[in-house]
Amino acid sequence: MKPFPPLKTDSDDMLHLDALRALGAVLIVVFHFNRFINIDGRWQAVDDTVKSFSLLVDLFFVISGYVISAVYTGRIRTVSDFRWFLQKRVARLMPLHWLTLGVFIVIAVAGVMGLVNDRDPSRYDPACVVPNLLNLQAFGICRAQTFNFVSWSISAEWAMYLLLPVLLWLAGRGTAWLTLATAVILAALFALPLFAPAANQPFHMWTADFGVARAAPGFMIGMIAYGIRGSLGRLPGARWWFFASCLAFLAGAAVQMERGLLLFVCYAVGVLGVAADNAPVKPGPVVRWLAPWGQLSYSVYMLHPIALKIALNWVGLGMLHLTGDLMRLWCLAWGLALIPVSYLSLMYFEKPARDAIARWGKPASKKPLP
């Protein structure tokens, strides 16, 4: 193995989606870094635009639904198959999740001991350590984002994996049935505030508080896109529709489009990414260049809260007292630093851990699912 192997996509069939993963991860970092980027209030227009970038998590659910369908449709037939699938998902998600959880547990203990000025009972709730360890923190058990706060979406994703046999069965009955089920779920989620006033946030803002429900429609839309991928690929000018949808999302964010409507634009970006990947026209040079960076999307996503807490909050704000343009440059520097750090995490921690976990209990006569 080379000391620094190049980033490579898993296949050449999803380059537009891989490019979306790369861009989406960067924009989510910008969203979370934004309170330091606009710390002096001089970048209010940017602040207003960036607030909508939180919806990009829903784009990742769409991409995941498509990718999981592409890889596992027709391949989970028995309980043993499902066990191997879950083991592969644990191998992919959990090592970095557990590592970052450990970092934030150390931060919480240091705060209790007075070693750092960081005590937040809701963020560092001891009762949520076990749910985080088991990846259940978005099942309504923890009422706030705890420890590595972005991990709620990983928990929501895990719920979709647990439901996958049911979803694949439904998809197997026909795309129309899956579409109908998705429409019913979306209608129910949008109507919920009318019947449950206590639900004071629309579902597309849910995180730890039943983020599993937020993940469901996006994941199922990704599965629908897989079912109609051939028709999507025949859409005239699919690649240009895809680029137009990306611009539409950014424009909608800039003009502060109502979030419920912008959510559907976000869904459309994912579906049109599928269309572009299934079109007969080969991806352009920009997409081909961006696609391999999608391999770092999970690492960037999971590691950036540590940079946010330590580099920006403790050091930049607390120790160096940075503000204005100096703080913005500090944010840029740490945003760029996340790239090599994420690369090292992927190559020298996540992949070895993934391979080790994937081998646990592997029968000699049976090859586990990819």
Side-chain angles (χ1 to χ4, degrees), residues 16-61:
H16 289 85
L17 294 183
D18 284 332
L20 273 181
R21 288 167 55 204
L23 291 174
V26 169
L27 293 181
I28 288 173
V29 171
V30 172
F31 167 68
H32 286 135
F33 279 17
N34 189 52
R35 67 187 181 96
F36 294 101
I37 295 172
N38 191 40
I39 195 170
D40 56 358
R42 289 170 50 202
W43 283 34
Q44 192 57 45
V46 173
D47 187 282
D48 293 338
T49 299
V50 167
K51 286 175 181 176
S52 296
F53 289 177
S54 62
L55 289 173
L56 291 168
V57 174
D58 299 276
L59 173 61
F60 276 94
F61 292 141

Side-chain angles (χ1 to χ4, degrees), residues 20-158:
L20 273 181
R21 288 167 55 204
L23 291 174
V26 169
L27 293 181
I28 288 173
V29 171
V30 172
F31 167 68
H32 286 135
F33 279 17
N34 189 52
R35 67 187 181 96
F36 294 101
I37 295 172
N38 191 40
I39 195 170
D40 56 358
R42 289 170 50 202
W43 283 34
Q44 192 57 45
V46 173
D47 187 282
D48 293 338
T49 299
V50 167
K51 286 175 181 176
S52 296
F53 289 177
S54 62
L55 289 173
L56 291 168
V57 174
D58 299 276
L59 173 61
F60 276 94
F61 292 141
V62 175
I63 294 172
S64 179
Y66 179 82
V67 172
I68 292 296
S69 294
V71 176
Y72 292 104
T73 293
R75 305 191 69 177
I76 300 180
R77 303 178 184 276
T78 66
V79 173
S80 178
D81 289 339
F82 185 49
R83 171 184 171 273
W84 281 116
F85 163 74
L86 291 180
Q87 183 168 334
K88 295 291 285 187
R89 293 299 90 200
V90 167
R92 176 68 182 93
L93 298 178
M94 299 308 285
L96 190 57
H97 167 55
W98 286 327
L99 177 65
T100 58
L101 172 62
V103 170
F104 280 98
I105 289 175
V106 170
I107 290 173
V109 172
V112 171
M113 296 176 63
L115 300 177
V116 295
N117 184 22
D118 196 339
R119 298 193 66 175
D120 185 342
S122 62
R123 175 61 56 84
Y124 306 125
D125 183 356
C128 286
V129 171
V130 172
N132 271 271
L133 282 170
L134 299 177
N135 212 19
L136 303 177
Q137 64 271 28
F139 285 59
I141 298 172
C142 299
R143 304 304 298 177
Q145 295 173 322
T146 51
F147 300 98
N148 187 356
F149 62 90
V150 300
S151 69
W152 73 267
S153 62
I154 308 307
S155 174
E157 181 86 2
W158 180 248

